[in-house]
Amino acid sequence: MHGRPRNVLKEEDTAALSAKAEKLRLLQSHFLANHHNRIYTKEALEENAKLLENNPEWHTAWNYRKLAVESFLTDSHSDPETVKSVLDEELRVVENALRKNFKSYGAWHHRKWVLSKGHSSIDKELRLLAAFQKADARNFHAWNYRRFVTTLMKIPDEEELKYTEEVIGANFSNYSAWHNRSILLSNLLKRKAEGYFPKEIVLEGEFELVHNAIFTDPDDQSGWFYHLWLIDQMVKIDAPLLVSSWPSHGLNITLQGNKCLHGSGLSVLNSTLPNTGTLPIILYFNQAVEGIDSSTVNVKSELLNGDLVWKPLSTNNSNNAQVWVAYLNIGNLDVQRSKTYVIEINLGHSKGIVSSNGYDYGHASRVTFELCIQSAYTESVEQQDGKITSEIDHIPTTSGRCEEAIVNEISQFRDLLSEIDCKIGKLTLARLLTALDSMPSPRANNMVHTEEILQLYDDLMRLDPTHYLYYKDEHSLVLLRQITSSRESLLPYCYYKKDATEAVPGYVCLRLQNLSLSRMGSIENLLWVQMLDLSHNQLRSIEGLEAMQLLSCLNLSHNKLGSFNALGPLRLIKSLKVLDISYNEIGSHTIDTRRYLCSSPLCHTEEFAWDQFETLTDSIHISAAKFWEPFLIFQSMKLTQLDIKGNAVADEIFGSFIIRVLPTLKWLDEEDLS
Amino acid sequence: MAESEASSYPPIEPTNFDLIIVGTGLPESILAAAASAVGKAVLHLDPNSFYGSHFATLSLTDLTSHLNSHSLPAPPPPPPSTSGSGDSDYAVVDLVQDPLYSDIEIEWHGSEDETSKMREDSRKFNIDLGGPRALFCADSCIDLLLKSGAAQYLEFKGVDASLVYEPNGGGLANVPDSRGAIFRDKNLSLKEKNQLMRFFKLVQQHLGGGGDQSDSGGEGQKISEEDLDSSFVSFLDKMRLPPKIKSILLYAIAMLDFDQDDSKVCKDFLKTKDSIDRLALYSSSVGRFPNAPGALIYPIYGEGELPQAFCRRAAVKGCIYVLRMAVTSLLMDKVTGCYKGVRLVSGQDLYSHQLILDPSFVIPSLLSSSLADFPREKIQLLSQRELKGMVARGICITRSSIKPDLLNCSVVYPPRSLYPEQVMSVRALQIGSNLAVCPAGTFILYFSTVCNDADEGKKLLKAAMNALLKPPVSVNSGSIPVVQSDNEDVQPIVLWNAFYIQKVFKGKFDSLTSAPTPDGNLNYADILDATEKLFSQMYPDQAFFPKTESPEDTMDENGVIMES
């Protein structure tokens, strides 16, 4: 079925084809007339069958048959004989159509539809499938249909799993069979079927099976795909969990003077928040969750005045997000000076927090921090040992078996790489080492493999330039994870900033510049950051940055941001005041290749202020097509300072536009607007 | 007496032929079919009552008696017939049969009941005289069967598995002979799987790369000329392949006989070039026919079907067949010493341009008085056959399979796998009842090895047999209780076995020619090559089975099959 050469048509073939087309056109016009007039006679259906047997790709023709069948069934007054003969005829038509093209979506769908009526015998279906799967063992339509039939027939997953093993044994270059195996195993593992628990033992067996495929022929991709799935199964924690929060557990926040927050618990890093009268509380989970509200997250504090409102930090307005935020209002409270208020957050005690794939929140978690108000600013010298990362009560440790399995995998692939030079092997090793390093196990010596992983990605960028950007992203993530892993590793990147423009002492700036980063990561460790310098990198996206709810000052200059869309996450950071996006590539790319991922004013998830936009564009005579994007991004921001020079988009017209969009702006491109 | 003899053999008409062939072994039968196909008048005789000569498949009792009768020196030739010797222009040279077989040992091991049952069922056994032998699916033999039309008389079944005997009691393992087999293999380490598959790919690239050199890339993967000319074993060493994989490649796939690591005993270092051809044959065999699970196929009813199929083909094209017709002497031109014709046991003289003789016939070097004036050197030449070597063969009939879930399988015992001094590979082939060669519930197991002397060969075969089968208990000691271990319980019990040594001769071409003998290989490739060469020497201007318009032509030509 694969790799058939395309032959040049001969003259007689062309003639035959045009005759065939003529015949088809005639059938089509008849059929459309019948469809239009709702004629469902036997003759009409026969004509339709002829059409479909010649061209099974036409969904309208299939839909007509469905209507006809429905009408027959209504007329038949459920006489079982008639019903059966009508449906059997449908199965026959589908079978003939599939003989013509067994990759026809419409035909397979019609067969499912007929069988779902429940009047037909399904025993024949497995035989039919056997024939199709013999013709092409990888045909995913047939595999898809097989899942449908086996569910209908209630064939146990265990049996189907054996079947995939047979097919794989015959020829392991079969994505469809491996894929079906992954589906069946997921089901069995999820319901902890007999012999499929604990999952580590089952997965170890699967690793052994797939090693045979990978080692026998490392050039064949099918095994690698399954292997990747297995690593994920071994490492991932199904249940959603809180991995980090701000304020973190055990943090002492000192509220200074009237308007300043000083958090000494931000470890040794003395930093100050410009107080807007609210204190953000950020919950950072290991995966996207929903159901965060006052019933699932219990906050206890004297300061609390009514329920907190939790919002998902999601750029696409879904109510499913990895990061959730709530604002504790303290500005309007009459708080007593020098009194310490304890705030306790409990979650996971009641059901309701659910991951997108349906798992309930795992262990109960508790975060406690203290808030104290002092009259005068004093430099805190209190130093805490340990990580900057939040301490959560329960960090679930994956079982030692998991770790052993990963260690074993690593040694297998080191072996393979000693034999042959293979890109996917290097990538897999890098992924395995990363997985091992991030295992929350007391025995895993975290981050010891960072250098090796970075070297592997460097090699891959050189060996496989086609996927350069992917490797670069992974490289960035590993690097960031190492930098943010501990206080010691982070310190060299922290600088005090005595900002002249703001009369606020002791800003700490995190400078991650010139690291050749192409994307951001490890943000769960950086929730405390108020000033971030990411200049002179190769960022194309700042995905995930929205979690940094304390950020007030962000330098993104000299990067590779290609559109305003890429700045989407910033819309969710209410505290952001100073933004430098100078010397990027905004406006240089006529086509935004990431567009399909991004929002547009026409999509329903956006609340786009059309009226305001129209007034604006009318008033300064600019093209709406060019400016809706920056309008969407900046309209809700309260920036006081923006640097945008060095982008193709930044011209005078744009300047006058942005000043109108951002009335709060005081400085534009180092020019004082006041 | 002369009267009665003459009447029992009706005279053969006509008396002049292009080619007379004596013996219906595979090479002779192919030559008969090939010569008939190009319009030669061919007479095909066989002193036996069955087709196949040394490639025959026989019943249990026939096999026993045939082996025994062909291991003894033939009875002294009948007194030179006087008729015509005096008054004709020909010298009459008597032919003598020099047996190919020696050192025959045949033993019955079953209980009395079993033995008598087997004797009763003797006809249900179809045992190959020249086993173990099978065909690779991509063998040149298959092409020949198709080209000649002989395939229409034959049916084959796939040999279910190719096994290799693992030393140190490792038992039988599947030969990892394909991508799928390597994937499924349970004995190789992951690293070894990778190494073996990479070697296969290298060979594939080497073979396939020639066609599309424009595609570059593949060109770097060619095996260098220098490597191709070196011995295969040194090439494998150069590729850093571990001993286990080397052994699989050398003996189970390239099917080499001699220990390639031992330069003292190895008579035959195969070059990389030739080994690659063997690997290619093997790998293109796997999966060629959807019904054959492995690389090998075997004809239903035994290998004797092959010569018969060619004989039928020859008969269709006009070849005349007479079985049970011995040739007693040759008629030679008195002056030139050239071959002219043969004298049959019936006393009839027949003439032809060329003669092909069963390899067991020789011309005694002693000059009989009647040949006093015959050119001496010519006789000398005719009486010499070049002995190429010996093959030890063994046949066992067992009650169960050597591998429980398999009916048919081939086995290779690489050198040193049975005992350290083993310098030759042993090959075995088990055929079960689904190939119609034995009653249900029994199996025929063939062994062979090339050997330098009879004792060494038989010792090796017995070791190979004992490694898989329960050592036969002597019938006499049947009353002595035998301690059975669990392990012995699962091993098949031998009901009957035969061991014999077969000589291999090298044929020589002349106006009278000795046909090739069965060799020590598993397939027919070398025999077919020799046969084709023989044909082109006989008829340099004729095609070996020319393409016909309708390969399906049937018995409409005056084909005659005479079984007197």
Side-chain angles (χ1 to χ4, degrees):
Chain A
M1 294 305 125
H2 300 271
R4 284 183 181 174
R6 195 178 284 266
N7 293 323
V8 181
L9 287 179
K10 288 189 201 121
E11 206 158 295
E12 58 262 35
D13 296 337
T14 338
L17 275 179
S18 62
K20 196 177 149 197
E22 190 53 45
K23 195 179 138 210
L24 263 178
R25 265 196 287 277
L26 191 70
L27 284 170
Q28 272 178 15
S29 59
H30 282 196
F31 150 68
L32 283 175
N34 289 334
H35 192 16
H36 188 73
N37 300 318
R38 296 183 187 175
I39 298 170
Y40 302 127
T41 60
K42 257 204 158 56
E43 294 70 36
L45 273 169
E46 268 164 28
E47 215 164 21
N48 170 280
K50 259 187 225 153
L51 175 63
L52 281 171
E53 281 161 24
N54 276 302
N55 176 18
E57 299 297 328
W58 203 10
H59 286 260
T60 313
W62 289 113
N63 289 339
Y64 164 76
R65 287 200 83 83
K66 294 193 181 73
L67 291 172
V69 169
E70 293 290 4
S71 121
F72 275 131
L73 295 186
T74 329
D75 294 347
S76 71
H77 306 294
S78 56
D79 166 35
E81 280 301 303
T82 325
V83 170
K84 193 170 178 323
S85 78
V86 167
L87 293 177
D88 281 353
E89 169 64 10
E90 290 310 299
L91 292 180
R92 196 190 61 78
V93 171
V94 173
E95 204 173 319
N96 286 339
L98 286 175
R99 274 184 220 293
K100 172 86 180 167
N101 176 9
F102 64 78
K103 294 192 172 177
S104 162
Y105 284 87
W108 286 109
H109 180 265
H110 194 66
R111 200 170 187 88
K112 277 191 189 174
W113 181 81
V114 173
L115 279 184
S116 313
K117 297 260 156 209
H119 298 292
S120 318
S121 136
I122 39 177
D123 297 334
K124 201 184 154 217
E125 300 308 300
L126 279 184
R127 254 175 295 143
L128 184 79
L129 270 172
F132 279 120
Q133 289 188 301
K134 198 175 175 189
D136 180 0
R138 309 199 279 196
N139 179 3
F140 66 88
H141 293 270
W143 281 94
N144 200 3
Y145 187 64
R146 186 180 186 91
R147 284 192 285 276
F148 170 78
V149 170
T150 50
T151 318
L152 217 58
M153 292 176 80
K154 300 199 167 56
I155 294 176
D157 288 345
E158 288 89 336
E159 218 168 277
E160 282 298 290
L161 203 65
K162 277 206 194 82
Y163 174 75
T164 63
E165 204 164 326
E166 278 167 34
V167 177
I168 290 167
N171 180 4
F172 61 85
S173 304
N174 190 330
Y175 300 93
S176 304
W178 288 111
H179 171 240
N180 205 35
R181 199 170 173 78
S182 72
I183 292 181
L184 295 165
L185 265 180
S186 300
N187 292 342
L188 290 166
L189 291 176
K190 195 165 179 179
R191 65 181 158 86
K192 298 185 177 162
E194 203 189 325
Y196 292 88
F197 184 80
K199 83 169 182 185
E200 289 81 7
I201 292 176
V202 181
L203 293 177
E204 273 165 34
E206 292 302 301
F207 271 122
E208 256 168 57
L209 179 70
V210 79
H211 284 157
N212 286 319
I214 289 174
F215 277 75
T216 302
D217 192 353
D219 295 339
D220 189 274
Q221 291 179 50
S222 44
W224 290 103
F225 275 97
Y226 190 65
H227 190 260
L228 183 59
W229 179 79
L230 284 179
I231 301 177
D232 190 47
Q233 295 307 301
M234 193 58 114
V235 172
K236 81 165 184 202
I237 297 154
D238 293 326
L241 281 166
L242 189 67
V243 290
S244 149
S245 70
W246 196 91
S248 50
H249 186 61
L251 184 70
N252 298 306
I253 300 168
T254 314
L255 189 69
Q256 293 202 322
N258 215 8
K259 293 281 176 192
C260 293
L261 277 173
H262 174 72
S264 67
L266 301 174
S267 167
V268 292
L269 303 156
N270 297 312
S271 50
T272 317
L273 296 182
N275 187 15
T276 51
T278 56
L279 181 71
I281 299 173
I282 310 166
L283 299 179
Y284 201 109
F285 296 91
N286 63 343
Q287 56 187 307
V289 293
E290 58 183 34
I292 303 291
D293 56 36
S294 53
S295 69
T296 52
V297 179
N298 181 14
V299 181
K300 273 188 260 176
S301 171
E302 286 174 62
L303 288 168
L304 207 58
N305 182 14
D307 284 338
L308 284 177
V309 181
W310 291 97
K311 282 188 196 147
L313 283 178
S314 117
T315 43
N316 58 0
N317 280 4
S318 90
N319 50 3
N320 215 314
Q322 195 176 358
V323 191
W324 289 72
V325 69
Y327 294 95
L328 184 63
N329 200 329
I330 42 178
N332 303 332
L333 285 176
D334 184 20
V335 287
Q336 283 179 278
R337 302 230 158 173
S338 304
K339 177 173 176 184
T340 303
Y341 296 91
V342 175
I343 298 159
E344 188 181 318
I345 305 171
N346 285 295
L347 64 164
H349 294 281
S350 62
K351 286 206 170 184
I353 304 176
V354 187
S355 74
S356 49
N357 49 2
Y359 283 94
D360 283 322
Y361 193 78
H363 304 263
S365 314
R366 186 173 60 93
V367 178
T368 324
F369 59 92
E370 291 175 1
L371 190 65
C372 176
I373 293 155
Q374 281 179 0
S375 49
Y377 173 79
T378 50
E379 184 128 348
S380 168
V381 287
E382 184 190 350
Q383 303 221 336
Q384 279 188 348
D385 283 333
K387 290 182 180 180
I388 294 163
T389 46
S390 330
E391 300 290 337
I392 312 290
D393 287 5
H394 296 283
I395 290 186
T397 51
T398 41
S399 75
R401 264 201 111 89
C402 272
E403 197 188 316
E404 249 164 60
I406 298 293
V407 168
N408 179 41
E409 285 304 291
I410 289 170
S411 77
Q412 294 281 11
F413 283 97
R414 283 199 208 278
D415 250 19
L416 179 68
L417 289 172
S418 74
E419 279 295 314
I420 52 159
D421 202 31
C422 131
K423 289 178 281 188
I424 183 89
K426 280 180 191 272
L427 178 59
T428 302
L429 182 59
R431 284 171 171 163
L432 285 166
L433 291 169
T434 311
L436 182 64
D437 273 1
S438 42
M439 278 198 162
S441 145
R443 285 191 293 154
N445 194 354
N446 283 351
M447 310 300 150
V448 291
H449 298 107
T450 304
E451 285 308 314
E452 188 182 355
I453 301 169
L454 292 177
Q455 186 55 49
L456 283 167
Y457 282 121
D458 277 335
D459 286 355
L460 283 165
M461 282 185 252
R462 196 166 32 76
L463 289 170
D464 183 13
T466 321
H467 302 109
Y468 178 88
L469 289 180
Y470 173 78
Y471 300 133
K472 186 91 200 158
D473 280 0
E474 294 300 306
H475 189 276
S476 305
L477 292 181
V478 173
L479 190 63
L480 283 168
R481 214 189 46 178
Q482 190 213 18
I483 290 172
T484 63
S485 64
S486 71
R487 207 189 86 197
E488 290 73 21
S489 61
L490 197 52
L491 263 177
Y493 298 92
C494 292
Y495 295 88
Y496 266 105
K497 185 163 182 175
K498 301 281 184 191
D499 196 316
T501 57
E502 295 281 340
V504 189
Y507 266 108
V508 166
C509 179
L510 181 65
R511 262 194 214 161
L512 299 172
Q513 40 166 251
N514 259 322
L515 292 171
S516 174
L517 300 173
S518 64
R519 68 175 284 185
M520 269 306 281
S522 299
I523 291 172
E524 69 272 20
N525 297 340
L526 301 172
L527 297 179
W528 53 272
V529 175
Q530 297 170 51
M531 293 184 74
L532 180 60
D533 184 354
L534 287 168
S535 63
H536 299 277
N537 279 302
Q538 292 166 30
L539 292 172
R540 285 159 202 273
S541 147
I542 50 168
E543 227 178 295
L545 216 64
E546 66 273 11
M548 299 171 79
Q549 287 288 310
L550 304 183
L551 205 61
S552 68
C553 187
L554 176 63
N555 187 351
L556 289 170
S557 64
H558 299 277
N559 273 294
K560 289 183 182 294
L561 297 170
S563 70
F564 285 111
N565 250 317
L567 301 174
L570 301 184
R571 295 168 63 200
L572 299 167
I573 306 177
K574 304 293 177 209
S575 53
L576 192 65
K577 294 281 176 283
V578 179
L579 177 64
D580 186 350
I581 49 170
S582 59
Y583 303 102
N584 272 282
E585 297 172 3
I586 300 173
S588 310
H589 305 284
T590 44
I591 296 165
D592 182 358
T593 49
R594 286 169 45 86
R595 166 67 72 219
Y596 68 98
L597 293 172
C598 302
S599 51
S600 88
L602 301 174
C603 74
H604 297 294
T605 53
E606 294 299 341
E607 291 164 21
F608 194 78
W610 282 107
D611 301 346
Q612 211 185 327
F613 183 57
E614 270 165 29
T615 331
L616 193 71
T617 48
D618 288 349
S619 68
I620 52 172
H621 309 291
I622 50 168
S623 111
K626 194 177 164 193
F627 287 95
W628 71 266
E629 229 176 69
F631 180 78
L632 187 67
I633 299 293
F634 291 113
Q635 178 239 341
S636 59
M637 290 203 209
K638 307 268 184 296
L639 294 182
T640 57
Q641 190 178 330
L642 177 67
D643 283 81
I644 195 163
K645 60 181 176 294
N647 285 292
V649 76
D651 53 18
E652 259 174 56
I653 305 174
F654 187 83
S656 60
F657 162 78
I658 205 74
I659 291 165
R660 282 163 200 260
V661 181
L662 286 166
T664 48
L665 211 57
K666 289 180 188 146
W667 295 84
L668 179 63
D669 288 333
E670 291 164 13
E671 207 177 297
D672 192 348
L673 297 174
S674 55
Chain B
M1 187 186 158
E3 279 282 321
S4 69
E5 225 179 43
S7 67
S8 65
Y9 295 113
I12 295 167
E13 283 293 330
T15 52
N16 279 294
F17 295 89
D18 290 319
L19 173 64
I20 294 175
I21 303 175
V22 181
T24 52
L26 185 63
E28 296 99 305
S29 304
I30 293 171
L31 288 170
S36 305
V38 294
K40 301 292 173 190
V42 185
L43 174 68
H44 203 169
L45 305 168
D46 196 318
N48 295 314
S49 58
F50 52 84
Y51 286 94
S53 300
H54 308 291
F55 295 85
T57 297
L58 299 170
S59 74
L60 191 51
T61 42
D62 287 352
L63 181 90
T64 314
S65 59
H66 184 76
L67 275 178
N68 283 329
S69 69
H70 282 258
S71 60
L72 305 166
S81 44
T82 48
S83 67
S85 66
D87 54 344
S88 81
D89 300 331
Y90 306 119
V92 178
V93 181
D94 292 326
L95 282 174
V96 177
Q97 270 208 315
D98 178 26
L100 287 186
Y101 307 108
S102 62
D103 301 275
I104 295 165
E105 264 179 67
I106 295 174
E107 293 166 300
W108 294 83
H109 300 293
S111 65
E112 260 171 56
D113 284 356
E114 278 172 327
T115 301
S116 65
K117 178 86 172 60
M118 272 172 67
R119 284 189 201 276
E120 236 168 72
D121 283 347
S122 161
R123 297 254 144 235
K124 291 185 183 165
F125 287 97
N126 292 313
I127 304 173
D128 298 341
L129 197 52
R133 213 173 277 279
L135 289 84
F136 284 106
C137 293
D139 234 325
S140 54
C141 188
I142 305 276
D143 300 334
L144 183 64
L145 286 169
L146 293 170
K147 195 162 78 164
S148 64
Q152 60 186 299
Y153 310 115
L154 293 166
E155 263 189 276
F156 291 90
K157 265 194 181 154
V159 175
D160 300 322
S162 301
L163 307 172
V164 61
Y165 182 77
E166 304 245 300
N168 312 322
L172 295 172
N174 283 300
V175 177
D177 50 11
S178 66
R179 196 164 169 270
I182 296 173
F183 172 71
R184 291 187 297 268
D185 194 278
K186 301 260 190 292
N187 292 301
L188 293 174
S189 73
L190 291 172
K191 208 163 172 172
E192 286 167 337
K193 287 185 176 201
N194 184 257
Q195 289 168 323
L196 183 56
M197 188 64 209
R198 257 188 307 142
F199 187 77
F200 282 162
K201 277 192 177 176
L202 177 71
V203 172
Q204 269 166 15
Q205 275 165 348
H206 174 77
L207 292 167
D212 51 327
Q213 283 198 335
S214 56
D215 220 8
S216 72
E219 217 173 331
Q221 298 293 336
K222 281 261 177 196
I223 300 167
S224 73
E225 281 300 320
E226 188 192 335
D227 285 337
L228 287 175
D229 270 339
S230 71
S231 80
F232 191 40
V233 65
S234 60
F235 178 60
L236 296 181
D237 285 334
K238 191 180 159 190
M239 300 300 291
R240 294 187 298 117
L241 292 173
K244 195 169 172 184
I245 289 179
K246 256 170 61 184
S247 160
I248 287 167
L249 287 168
L250 287 167
Y251 309 112
I253 295 180
M255 300 276 179
L256 293 174
D257 288 316
F258 293 92
D259 187 342
Q260 303 285 311
D261 282 324
D262 190 340
S263 53
K264 268 181 249 146
V265 296
C266 181
K267 288 182 182 171
D268 180 21
F269 280 112
L270 200 67
K271 281 186 178 173
T272 305
K273 205 185 307 181
D274 304 318
S275 307
I276 299 259
D277 290 342
R278 293 196 186 193
L279 258 56
L281 169 65
Y282 198 113
S283 72
S284 54
S285 293
V286 177
R288 180 178 182 192
F289 301 119
N291 297 336
L296 298 171
I297 53 174
Y298 183 84
I300 297 178
Y301 303 115
E303 78 157 333
E305 295 297 297
L306 292 172
Q308 279 195 65
F310 281 102
C311 288
R312 288 180 75 172
R313 213 48 223 158
V316 168
K317 296 289 184 182
C319 176
I320 297 173
Y321 275 84
V322 186
L323 292 190
R324 286 183 201 148
M325 182 57 82
V327 169
T328 55
S329 358
L330 303 179
L331 306 175
M332 314 295 279
D333 192 297
K334 274 182 178 161
V335 183
T336 62
C338 284
Y339 160 82
K340 285 296 168 191
V342 293
R343 176 164 295 168
L344 306 183
V345 69
S346 64
Q348 192 183 8
D349 289 347
L350 299 169
Y351 305 97
S352 70
H353 301 301
Q354 267 158 326
L355 175 73
I356 291 170
L357 277 176
D358 182 294
S360 62
F361 284 105
V362 286
I363 298 155
S365 53
L366 288 171
L367 291 180
S368 68
S369 55
S370 65
L371 295 170
D373 49 350
F374 195 78
R376 182 172 289 258
E377 64 280 7
K378 202 78 189 178
I379 284 290
Q380 213 97 49
L381 197 72
L382 289 175
S383 58
Q384 278 173 355
R385 286 182 308 178
E386 196 187 328
L387 183 65
K388 231 172 102 187
M390 286 195 284
V391 179
R393 299 193 190 276
I395 307 169
C396 299
I397 295 175
T398 62
R399 232 177 353 213
S400 53
S401 172
I402 50 170
K403 198 145 194 202
D405 44 348
L406 290 174
L407 283 177
N408 314 310
C409 56
S410 69
V411 183
V412 172
Y413 302 74
R416 283 172 281 127
S417 63
L418 289 164
Y419 46 82
E421 306 81 39
Q422 179 198 355
V423 294
M424 309 285 187
S425 311
V426 180
R427 280 185 284 272
L429 181 68
Q430 176 182 280
I431 302 295
S433 55
N434 69 334
L435 278 155
V437 295
C438 50
T442 53
F443 296 84
I444 305 180
L445 188 52
Y446 299 98
F447 294 93
S448 78
T449 181
V450 174
C451 59
N452 295 317
D453 72 70
D455 290 342
E456 174 205 311
K458 279 163 81 176
K459 178 188 165 201
L460 189 49
L461 290 194
K462 283 175 186 170
M465 182 179 90
N466 291 340
L468 294 184
L469 308 177
K470 198 164 168 179
V473 182
S474 155
V475 182
N476 302 333
S477 63
S479 55
I480 301 163
V482 181
V483 184
Q484 291 194 340
S485 76
D486 289 349
N487 186 34
E488 280 174 334
D489 260 347
V490 295
Q491 287 192 324
I493 295 168
V494 182
L495 300 174
W496 177 91
N497 68 265
F499 291 101
Y500 51 99
I501 302 294
Q502 182 222 307
K503 289 181 209 136
V504 180
F505 291 106
K506 194 171 180 177
K508 255 186 315 185
F509 173 71
D510 200 353
S511 61
L512 70 96
T513 303
S514 194
T517 41
D519 58 15
N521 294 338
L522 185 64
N523 69 348
Y524 297 96
D526 288 357
I527 295 169
L528 291 190
D529 284 350
T531 305
E532 191 170 348
K533 198 171 150 211
L534 212 54
F535 179 85
S536 63
Q537 283 169 329
M538 281 197 296
Y539 304 114
D541 303 328
Q542 300 287 353
F544 190 59
F545 292 107
K547 260 200 155 51
T548 53
E549 282 91 62
S550 61
E552 297 302 299
D553 54 359
T554 41
M555 308 286 272
D556 55 344
E557 290 160 72
N558 46 346
V560 186
I561 295 178
M562 284 168 69
E563 284 180 275
S564 55

